[in-house]
Amino acid sequence: MRVQMRVSEPADARIRRGLLRIAASQLGRRADSMVLPLEFLQQFKASDFPDPQEYDAWQSRNLKLLEAGLLVHPLVPLNKSDVSAQRLRQIIRGAYDRPLETGKNSESMQVLRSAVMSLAGRSDDGTSDGCHWADGFPLNLHLYQMLVEACFDNDDGTVVDEIDEVMELLKKTWVILGINQMLHNLCFAWALFNHFVISGQVDIELLSAAENQLAEVAKDAKTTKDPNYSKVLSSTLSSIMGWTEKRLLAYHETFNASNIESMQGIVSIGVSAARVLVEDISHEYRRRRKEETDVARSRIETYIRSSLRTAFAQRMEEADSKRSSKNPTPVLSILAKDIGDLAIKEKNLYSPILKTWHPLASGVAVVTLHSCFGNELKQFIAGLTELTPDTVQVLKAADKLEKDLVNIAVEDSVDSDDGGKSLIREMPPYEAENAIANLVKVWIKERIDRLKGWVDRNLKQETWNPGANRENIAPSSVEMLRVVGETLDAFFQLPIPMHPVLLPDLMFGLDRSLQLFVSKAKSGCGTKNTFMPQLPPLTRCEVGSNLLFKKKEKPQNPQYRGNQNGTTNGADPLALPQLCVRLNTLQYMRGELENLEKKIKTGLRNVESAQADVTDGLDIKFDLCQSSCQEGIQQLCETTAYKVTFFDLGHVLWDILYVGDVASNRVEILLRELDPILETISGMVHNKVRNRAITALMKATFDGFLLVLLAGGPLRAFTRQDSQIIEDDFKALKDLFLADGDGLPEELVDKASSQVKNVLPLLRSDSESLIDRFKRMMSESNRSAAKNRLPLPPTTGHWSPNEANTVLRVLCYRYDETATKFLKKTYNLPKKI
């Protein structure tokens, strides 16, 4: 310890004698209850030193130590008016002019002792029994840092073999210096790091020890918010981080194969310092703590990007110098090869180390190189006016480099959360072929714009005439697909090397044009809701009147009228035959889209640049048009069905079926009207959508049948006895679509008619049970309603025996006193509209 502290043997012997004298005169007192510089001043005389000058220097040093520990850096801050402090300053200043008389009984020594002990006896809590003369901040740290130097060999700077024994000695000073484990860890971490630096950065054991010690500091930093500790921690770590970052921000210049071993430790120390500075000291970080911040990953990414940009700039200069008359290779071609080599070096030498903190280290590196080279390439392409051998050479070199960089990025991120998508997004493809591609894109745009104009013009003239051709499809659709096919033929004849790359642009434009055709083909036809009637207001039956036997009055609620055979003049674009042509046209286009897709695959295989697997991975589908056709067929089926049911056959539903006498106006007339409609659909509609059209008509018919029962207006009234007639009619309606096994599947008919089937039992129920059922439903759904007052249930259209509005409507059309009195009393419903 003495040797490491560079203390001479005579000085050591003198100090030991002094300590023995002090111990003898202060018998029983602890070391921390004494002010050692004061005691030394009293114990030593000039005769204890080889010459007076050394004695004077020694005395001056002890007075300076007292000044530093009690006046400049006291444990407890001084008041300006503190008398002891003023007296001590005077004594020290006087000692500079004339040596201090230190005899035990000298007045000056007694005055000095009094002032020193008064100041040293102060503490934060005012109850200290020790002396505080060397534990003020940051004096104590400076003193302790000097002691910590004893841990290192004076000659080579390595940690001494007796480190454990030295540490035990150091710990004995903690009580006097006010040092704790945290401060010790910080001081020792700095000492280890500093010795690694000054020793030439070759002692890996020192570096590893500093790395481990800094890990302890990081733990400590999370357990305390002491401002003094935080201040010295920030200062120390900032120094460490500053040194490491100077090397890591350009690590290609700092590290190579010969010294790469030290990079791991230096990165670890730099990252640890940064993490503590950000996470445990930065106020900004604490304010934004909810945002996940990976400090280590962020710092590593900064090191990678900075280093690679610096290395790229150096390679640029080297590439310029390599080009000459003997080597006419374009600069960017030389640079592309050099950058490829640089990427391989990065991946093999540096990335394995950096991956410890950043799993995508290689990916970030190649993304940076990709960006740097991309900026140079972009300027090169911007100046292109024609393709030359040099241009081709550069483009090929750029293409190869890009593939190499992307492969490294993909390999590096195969196990990442997003599979490397975020990295790839940072690598926009080089525009190496952009000049040619732009010309082709202009060609594509012109063809697509021309096609869209053709759609607008021809569909305005389309009549959807069923006699235009044998297939009952629109002639405009045939012509449209012919133009699309010619456009594809012309595209594959273009002399370009990137058909697969530009094909998606063309296909998207064609797909949108075809989608536009489909959209216009179904536009103006309306939807299911267009033809659904508005329900009449609720009424009650006029029991005892001749309602059931008097002539029908004009119905109150029909909204649509059509001719009575389900057909209209051929000029009507919404007549049943015209709607069938529209359906056939969309089905025809769906089938032809598949032929176009096969045509495209054949065209791709036949172009000059084709490879064996050229179509693999390409999405050769007209998805927009296919989806639009599917939706259009569904819409047209529903539109046709509800238009026929509620418009063409509206007079049957609203004017005839069950109006007045139920037995006299049964479903047979509706069945007679449906027969020619079904024949028209069966004869005209393509077999692949025929069942869908008939199924939609069936659903619409059942909806209409149910609306007659539940919302048929005040000209209808039903008794319980009528329920059997209605059920028989319902069966006849189902049989129409079953067609003795030649129609729709039975399970499909059952599913479509299930709503009617579920409601019919209500018509058989007596009014009392219906009223009880209704009240129970209403009370369960309106528990907060006033007693004896039931709100009118809303009309949802979801008819069901378990739905209050459905039960209420059955009561509205129930021809008996019980029902009509209940409706009068509860809702005061009128008998007529």
Side-chain angles (χ1 to χ4, degrees), residues 104-136:
K104 183 176 182 181
N105 298 318
S106 70
E107 181 181 354
S108 59
M109 194 63 204
Q110 290 177 359
V111 173
L112 175 63
R113 180 176 290 276
S114 173
V116 167
M117 296 309 291
S118 173
L119 293 172
R122 297 176 314 121
S123 64
D124 289 323
D125 56 9
T127 59
S128 174
D129 58 350
C131 290
H132 303 280
W133 59 274
D135 51 356

Side-chain angles (χ1 to χ4, degrees), residues 404-429:
D404 292 343
L405 296 180
V406 169
N407 284 338
I408 293 174
V410 171
E411 290 173 9
D412 195 47
S413 56
V414 67
D415 295 326
S416 64
D417 293 339
D418 65 353
K421 292 180 181 177
S422 58
L423 279 180
I424 300 303
R425 280 196 294 269
E426 288 191 62
M427 301 174 73

Side-chain angles (χ1 to χ4, degrees), residues 138-332:
L139 172 66
N140 57 344
L141 288 182
H142 286 292
L143 293 175
Y144 191 66
Q145 196 65 48
M146 294 174 66
L147 293 175
V148 168
E149 288 299 312
C151 298
F152 301 93
D153 188 279
N154 288 335
D155 296 326
D156 58 15
T158 59
V159 176
V160 296
D161 294 336
E162 303 86 353
I163 181 65
D164 293 335
E165 290 90 337
V166 174
M167 281 294 180
E168 287 302 316
L169 288 174
L170 291 181
K171 286 184 179 180
K172 293 180 180 180
T173 69
W174 287 9
V175 65
I176 295 175
L177 296 177
I179 299 296
N180 55 28
Q181 187 67 50
M182 288 193 300
L183 289 171
H184 164 77
N185 289 343
L186 182 57
C187 290
F188 193 50
W190 167 255
L192 288 167
F193 172 76
N194 190 48
H195 275 274
F196 166 74
V197 172
I198 62 179
S199 66
Q201 306 152 45
V202 294
D203 192 330
I204 301 302
E205 290 185 2
L206 273 176
L207 180 62
S208 177
E211 182 182 351
N212 295 334
Q213 194 64 28
L214 202 56
E216 296 299 317
V217 172
K219 294 177 187 176
D220 295 340
K222 295 185 180 300
T223 63
T224 180
K225 298 303 175 190
D226 177 70
N228 285 336
Y229 177 80
S230 296
K231 184 178 179 182
V232 70
L233 176 67
S234 177
S235 174
T236 303
L237 295 185
S238 294
S239 297
I240 292 175
M241 186 175 167
W243 185 90
T244 57
E245 293 216 328
K246 184 177 180 181
R247 284 142 186 83
L248 294 175
L249 289 172
Y251 57 73
H252 279 263
E253 296 178 359
T254 308
F255 302 102
N256 50 51
S258 63
N259 67 349
I260 193 67
E261 187 180 3
S262 65
M263 184 177 177
Q264 174 93 22
I266 290 175
V267 174
S268 176
I269 286 176
V271 167
S272 297
R275 185 181 283 133
V276 174
L277 283 170
V278 172
E279 295 181 359
D280 301 305
I281 295 177
S282 168
H283 298 293
E284 180 67 21
Y285 177 83
R286 285 197 289 272
R287 281 199 298 270
R288 302 173 61 186
R289 196 154 199 148
K290 291 181 180 178
E291 301 177 16
E292 288 297 326
T293 304
D294 190 335
V295 177
R297 183 167 178 153
S298 174
R299 294 315 306 158
I300 295 299
E301 190 155 326
T302 299
Y303 300 154
I304 294 172
R305 293 187 185 276
S306 173
S307 296
L308 269 299
R309 289 190 188 106
T310 301
F312 181 86
Q314 291 174 342
R315 298 308 191 281
M316 273 285 292
E317 294 178 4
E318 293 171 5
D320 278 333
S321 64
K322 289 179 182 177
R323 181 177 170 88
S324 63
S325 56
K326 294 182 180 180
N327 181 21
T329 306
V331 171
L332 283 187

